[in-house]
Amino acid sequence: APPATPAVPPGRSLLIVTCNPPCDSVWVDGHPAPDVAQGKPMPPGVHQVGANLAHHPSRIQPVLLRGGQAFRLDVDFTH
């Protein structure tokens, strides 16, 4: 079963980013987000998510967060 999703704070969105294999770092809107695997409360809207892993090109992509919802992004560096 997938891990339980943390509660979403009122009026916010929850961004969860996981990497395979685990990332060296994750950035959201240009800022480090070390806690994002546990769920990071964010304002709704479009955010740029970047994931870094040594010896791989960085992955950067926009995600659309909807108010009151959690969004899980799985970054796969294996292919």
Side-chain angles (χ1 to χ4, degrees):
T5 298
V8 181
R12 306 281 275 181
S13 303
L14 196 67
L15 176 63
I16 303 164
V17 180
T18 59
C19 300
N20 178 34
C23 308
D24 293 328
S25 61
V26 176
W27 296 71
V28 180
D29 297 334
H31 301 285
D35 54 346
V36 75
Q38 284 78 45
K40 180 176 178 62
M42 299 282 296
V46 177
H47 299 276
Q48 295 290 332
V49 177
N52 297 314
L53 181 65
H55 311 299
H56 292 75
S58 296
R59 305 284 179 92
I60 302 173
Q61 70 184 76
V63 297
L64 173 60
L65 302 180
R66 299 185 188 281
Q69 296 183 8
F71 183 91
R72 184 181 298 272
L73 176 65
D74 298 303
V75 181
D76 190 347
F77 284 100
T78 62
H79 57 266

